[in-house]
Amino acid sequence: MHFQPPEAFAYLADAAEREPYWAMLLGLHAKTRQTATSAEEGRVLADMDRAGIDRAVIQGEYYRQLESCVAANDRALALYRRHPERFLVFATVQPTDDRALDEVRRCVAAGAAGIGELNPYAQGFTLDSPAFLRLAETCIDLDLPILLHVNEPVGRYYPGKAVTSLAQYYDLALRFPELTIILAHWGGGLFFYELMPSVRQALRNVWYDTAASPLLYPTADIFAVALRCVHPRKILFGSDYPLPLFPRVSREPDLSAFLNDIMALDIAPDIRDDLLGYNSARLLGLMPSEEAPALESSRRSNALPPPRYPITAAMSVAAIAAAWSSTRAVLEAYGIPWETVEAPLWEPLRQAAAARGIGPERLKRLLADLNAAVQHESETP
């Protein structure tokens, strides 16, 4: 994929009007078509020029059918080939389709820089399903960031609002700490929990984009709160273009209004520059990232290392079941779920047992039965 070094990027903003900056969009849904829509393509480029944006990331829409994903990827890649200095492409796939991984590899070979936007609820998969986990492992192998649709779990309904819990995104980060994850729409507020040191550590390779932000939050308030909760390097400017972000003012797509709101914030210039482009540039390998807070790709480090024998009450139920398949029947016999939303990755056996009325003496028997199952499994050829 052709990347120009950052110093070669042309600043398009008028220096007489404001300080020039290099802006990168995440969450861009450009509806440019490959055939007979040069006017749409021209409109996107003109809006980028008007706002002073040098490069934009075209995000794929989350279709149910892989054929629709392939067609969208073809359109986006064609636009990238026509304007490689202006666009980057994230490919979209349907993880439940057996051909999804082949489509990922095809798009990467053609120049795609990431995967997304994907929407578990709209596309009918869960973040712990085997199909999605295979996709996540492929993204790790290919060093690809993956962008996922997230929304706040409370508030009014609007088209596109999904019900996937924030805990699923947190569990995904726990399971694959080496996976680069971008959560759209401020991660549905997940960033707030990074005030907890343990959560901040678990989410160290998670970024948050600002797509559709003005439709949900006052700009000054949400940035002030977010900058108190997370490292400034983890926030990425997202536009959701061509969605009108200020519908009471204009129904037309526009890239300038939200940018101007951010430019007006009372924040340090270096933080502003990071938010409007340098964070995305580091994340996508367009500039050095040695100071970024992300976890460097460590390849194949396991979020749930197999616990050592013997099993103790402090171990995670999910970790026990993942390490020794023979323990699953034991857990089920005691009424303890190990693969449903009732069993978060962090929940220890002690708590899961207590929540189901298993007292100290029965817990001892449970531990004995689990360890016997592990011993039998280890001795079985």
Side-chain angles (χ1 to χ4, degrees):
M1 188 169 184
H2 174 66
F3 290 138
Q4 290 178 284
E7 58 269 23
F9 292 159
Y11 291 121
L12 300 178
D14 187 344
E17 296 181 0
R18 66 184 181 197
E19 182 180 346
Y21 61 94
W22 179 70
M24 170 81 71
L25 283 72
L26 282 170
L28 172 68
H29 297 273
K31 295 184 177 178
T32 304
R33 295 293 183 261
Q34 190 174 2
T35 58
T37 55
S38 58
E40 287 184 349
E41 181 176 327
R43 170 66 186 273
V44 174
L45 291 167
D47 285 348
M48 289 171 60
D49 290 346
R50 190 176 301 111
I53 292 169
D54 296 300
R55 281 194 175 185
V57 177
I58 304 173
Q59 291 290 335
E61 297 178 77
Y62 35 81
Y63 293 103
R64 295 279 297 200
Q65 302 300 321
L66 183 70
E67 289 76 12
S68 298
C69 295
V70 172
N73 292 336
D74 285 343
R75 292 192 296 268
L77 289 167
L79 181 59
Y80 160 70
R81 286 192 295 270
R82 291 193 292 272
H83 305 281
E85 76 289 354
R86 304 303 302 275
F87 294 109
L88 300 173
V89 171
F90 274 33
T92 185
V93 293
Q94 167 54 283
T96 63
D97 193 291
D98 292 339
R99 301 164 291 173
L101 302 187
D102 289 336
E103 176 63 7
V104 168
R105 296 185 181 96
R106 180 186 78 92
C107 291
V108 170
I115 302 300
E117 181 179 10
L118 304 185
N119 185 331
Y121 182 69
Q123 293 183 285
F125 66 90
T126 60
L127 295 177
D128 61 355
S129 65
F132 180 78
L133 295 180
R134 286 192 293 271
L135 173 62
E137 290 170 349
T138 299
C139 288
I140 293 168
D141 289 341
L142 298 176
D143 200 18
L144 294 173
I146 185 168
L147 187 144
L148 300 169
H149 176 88
V150 195
N151 50 250
E152 68 291 348
V154 298
R156 63 181 178 84
Y157 166 80
Y158 49 81
K161 187 161 185 172
V163 298
T164 305
S165 70
L166 296 185
Q168 285 197 41
Y169 299 95
Y170 177 73
D171 285 351
L172 176 65
L174 281 177
R175 188 184 298 269
F176 294 120
E178 71 274 37
L179 176 64
T180 300
I181 302 171
I182 304 169
L183 300 182
H185 315 300
W186 291 108
L190 183 61
F191 69 81
F192 169 79
Y193 297 99
E194 289 208 26
L195 288 174
M196 301 167 62
S198 62
V199 174
R200 185 183 309 119
Q201 173 68 10
L203 301 180
R204 60 194 179 276
N205 210 23
V206 174
W207 278 256
Y208 306 91
D209 90 9
T210 67
S213 184
L215 295 172
L216 300 167
Y217 312 103
T219 297
D221 293 341
I222 186 63
F223 275 91
V225 171
L227 289 170
R228 288 180 62 88
C229 295
V230 301
H231 195 289
R233 291 282 182 89
K234 292 183 39 145
I235 301 174
L236 310 173
F237 174 70
S239 69
D240 236 346
Y241 179 92
L243 181 68
L245 297 184
F246 299 88
R248 295 183 180 180
V249 177
S250 173
R251 301 296 301 178
E252 290 295 315
D254 174 65
L255 289 168
S256 300
F258 187 29
L259 280 170
N260 289 337
D261 275 3
I262 297 174
M263 294 291 290
L265 296 176
D266 185 19
I267 56 179
D270 59 333
I271 293 179
R272 180 204 63 194
D273 292 341
D274 282 343
L275 299 177
L276 292 179
Y278 290 131
N279 289 344
S280 298
R282 294 185 190 96
L283 181 62
L284 295 175
L286 304 180
M287 62 185 294
S289 59
E290 55 274 352
E291 295 182 8
L295 177 71
E296 294 297 330
S297 294
S298 57
R299 305 290 188 191
R300 288 300 177 193
S301 64
N302 193 346
L304 287 175
R308 295 180 178 180
Y309 177 85
I311 292 174
T312 70
M315 290 181 179
S316 159
V317 172
I320 293 169
W324 297 292
S325 59
S326 61
T327 63
R328 299 169 188 173
V330 177
L331 292 168
E332 290 170 359
Y334 281 80
I336 297 177
W338 53 270
E339 65 173 352
T340 72
V341 293
E342 298 179 60
L345 289 175
W346 50 262
E347 185 176 38
L349 179 63
R350 179 185 294 109
Q351 176 174 303
R356 288 155 184 85
I358 297 176
E361 292 304 316
R362 194 163 178 233
L363 177 59
K364 291 179 182 178
R365 292 197 297 273
L366 169 58
L367 287 169
D369 290 345
L370 287 170
N371 282 305
V374 171
Q375 183 174 356
H376 177 73
E377 181 177 333
S378 64
E379 294 174 351
T380 301

